[in-house]
């Protein structure tokens, strides 16, 4: 029997286990994370080593530095995750890892480490799509949550409205045609001199600004009312600042941040609610780094409350990249009998498939 066949057999037996312990690795961007998750819902440990302080000096993530840093810390992060969970490697049931999308060199570090662990410990390996991980963060935050629901995914690389019809089953209702919401936040933060990472900095500055100070565009796309476009908004902010600078007029950074954020939040909330009503759903969950945004959370609360729609949002630590969300997504894939071969590779661009 080949290694893969042996692991398939092991995976089939997992369904009969009361306790399925998954060690999960995430290294798609600038966080090295490892977590131990029980039965897809209970986090025994979730170690996150952030590289923010290193990339700050460059105003953004430098891919080559990110890969090297992941290599430096990954073994230590895995050891810490096992220690904190008080779990011996021998008691693990499977290894899950983000295989894409993300920075290819960064992903490769997690994928290689996971393959070595799986082979060395004779455990099934499961490659997880990063966005499936973000969505699954909600299964950890809300242990009773079951599909179907609508998920607004807003991260540094993605902006999508997804109809989650079952575990691992996705229908993309709307997506960005150009920049992701997080990308727009990071770019605007940079031109406003707020530094990296941009999202939290704009969020913070916006709290002190007037959201009505500048009427930035809210793009409507005729052929799909649920699609987004943020590049025009980003350019509008840049042009607005250039115009003021050329006329040597002063501006209030906080007002620009608040007005930009208002435009982003307006379209995210409006389209998500519209898609939810169109599909007759009653539950919205939020996912991804931008889901930590205070204004987006408040407005989503307000608008869903008005309409009797239930809103679920993970705590900020589960919104941004972490290993626990990968452990949850990996668990549900394993329960469906899915595993990856040891030839699993990192894939920088890959759509979320059912
Ligand atoms: O999900 P994530 O950690 O990584 C990706 O998969 O991309 O998301 C990172 C993105 C960055 O663009 C960051 O600026 C943004 O999430 N972000 C925020 C906030 N916290 C993180 N954007 C707006 N407000 C926040 N509070
Ligand atoms: Zn992410």
């Amino acid at each position: 029997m080949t290694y893969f066949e042996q692991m398939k057999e092991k995976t089939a037996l997992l369904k009969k286990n009361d306790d399925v312990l998954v060690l999960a690795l995430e290294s798609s961007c600038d966080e090295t994370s490892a977590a131990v998750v029980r039965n897809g819902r209970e986090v025994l440990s979730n170690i996150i080593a952030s590289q923010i302080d290193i990339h700050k000096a460059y105003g953004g993530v430098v891919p080559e530095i990110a890969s090297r840093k992941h290599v430096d810390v990954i073994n230590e992060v895995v050891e810490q995750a096992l220690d904190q969970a008080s779990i011996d490697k021998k008691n693990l049931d499977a290894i899950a890892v983000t295989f894409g999308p993300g920075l290819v060199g960064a992903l490769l570090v997690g994928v290689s480490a996971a393959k070595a662990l799986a082979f060395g410990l004779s455990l099934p390996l499961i490659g997880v799509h990063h966005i499936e991980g973000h969505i699954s963060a909600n299964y950890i935050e809300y242990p009773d949550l079951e599909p179907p629901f609508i998920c607004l995914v807003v991260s540094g690389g993605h902006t999508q409205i997804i109809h989650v019809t079952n575990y691992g089953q996705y229908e993309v209702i709307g997506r960005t045609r150009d920049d992701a919401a997080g990308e727009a936040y990071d770019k605007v933060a940079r031109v406003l001199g707020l530094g990296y990472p941009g999202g939290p900095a704009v969020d913070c500055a916006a709290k002190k600004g007037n959201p009505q100070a500048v009427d930035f565009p809210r793009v409507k796309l005729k052929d799909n009312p649920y699609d987004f476009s943020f590049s025009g908004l980003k350019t509008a902010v840049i042009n607005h600042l250039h115009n003021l600078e050329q006329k040597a007029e002063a501006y209030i950074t906080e007002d620009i941040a608040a007005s930009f954020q208002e435009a982003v939040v307006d379209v995210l909330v409006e389209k998500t609610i519209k898609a939810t009503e169109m599909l007759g759903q009653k539950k919205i969950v939020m996912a991804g780094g931008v889901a930590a945004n205070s204004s987006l959370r408040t407005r989503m609360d307000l608008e869903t409350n008005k309409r009797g729609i239930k809103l679920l949002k993970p705590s900020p630590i589960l919104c941004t990249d972490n290993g626990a969300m990968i452990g949850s997504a990996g668990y549900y894939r394993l329960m469906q009998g899915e595993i990856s071969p040891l030839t699993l590779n990192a894939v920088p661009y890959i759509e979320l498939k059912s």
Side-chain angles (χ1 to χ4, degrees), residues 31 130 134 154-157 182-183 185-186 197-200 203 261 288-290 292-294 319-321:
E31 261 103 25
H130 185 72
H134 275 301
V154 268
S155 71
E183 217 175 328
Y185 262 99
D186 292 336
D203 192 353
Q261 179 160 280
V290 184
N293 183 264
S294 59
C319 288
T320 45
D321 293 347

Side-chain angles (χ1 to χ4, degrees), residues 120-314:
L121 297 166
S122 222
L123 290 175
L125 171 75
I126 177 75
V128 172
H129 191 286
H130 185 72
I131 296 304
E132 181 160 69
H134 275 301
I135 296 169
S136 304
N138 284 280
Y139 296 134
I140 294 170
E141 188 79 45
Y142 301 98
D144 298 325
L145 173 66
E146 302 273 354
F149 51 80
I150 299 294
C151 185
L152 171 65
V153 178
V154 268
S155 71
H158 289 75
T159 303
Q160 293 182 327
I161 298 171
I162 299 177
H163 187 196
V164 181
T165 52
N166 207 337
Y167 291 102
Q169 308 242 310
Y170 309 105
E171 236 174 66
V172 179
I173 308 299
R175 67 177 76 229
T176 181
R177 302 271 179 96
D178 39 59
D179 296 351
E183 217 175 328
Y185 262 99
D186 292 336
K187 182 73 195 183
V188 165
R190 194 191 275 234
V191 295
L192 286 175
L194 294 172
Y196 161 87
V202 172
D203 192 353
C204 186
K207 287 195 178 115
K208 293 169 241 143
N210 171 12
Q212 263 74 52
V214 188
D215 187 19
F216 287 125
R218 278 83 169 148
V219 174
K220 292 214 165 27
L221 297 152
K222 285 202 189 89
D223 48 337
N224 183 352
Y226 311 110
D227 273 357
F228 302 97
S229 167
F230 291 110
S231 81
L233 169 61
K234 178 186 74 185
T235 310
V237 175
I238 295 170
N239 289 345
H240 181 78
L241 294 176
H242 278 169
N243 282 340
L244 293 177
E245 276 158 17
Q246 270 172 359
K247 289 188 266 175
E249 277 180 34
Y251 59 84
I252 301 169
T253 302
E254 287 79 4
D255 283 354
I256 308 285
S259 302
F260 157 76
Q261 179 160 280
E262 188 77 352
V264 175
V265 170
D266 273 358
V267 291
L268 289 177
V269 174
E270 188 200 311
K271 289 175 190 227
T272 308
I273 299 234
K274 212 184 228 179
T276 308
E277 289 180 332
M278 181 266 293
L279 290 162
Q281 282 294 342
K282 285 274 161 224
K283 226 185 296 169
I284 297 177
V285 317
M286 293 167 68
V290 184
N293 183 264
S294 59
S295 170
L296 179 61
R297 291 166 86 90
T298 307
R299 186 86 74 76
M300 280 293 258
D301 262 333
L302 192 79
E303 297 300 328
T304 48
N305 259 337
K306 271 194 219 161
R307 294 167 174 85
I309 297 170
K310 192 166 180 202
L311 178 70
L312 306 175
K313 39 192 187 335

Side-chain angles (χ1 to χ4, degrees), residues 56 63 75 83 100 104 139 166 193 195 222 230 289 294 315 340-341 347 350:
K56 226 175 206 159
N75 287 338
D83 271 4
V104 70
Y139 296 134
N166 207 337
K222 285 202 189 89
F230 291 110
S294 59
S315 43
S340 305
V347 186
I350 183 168

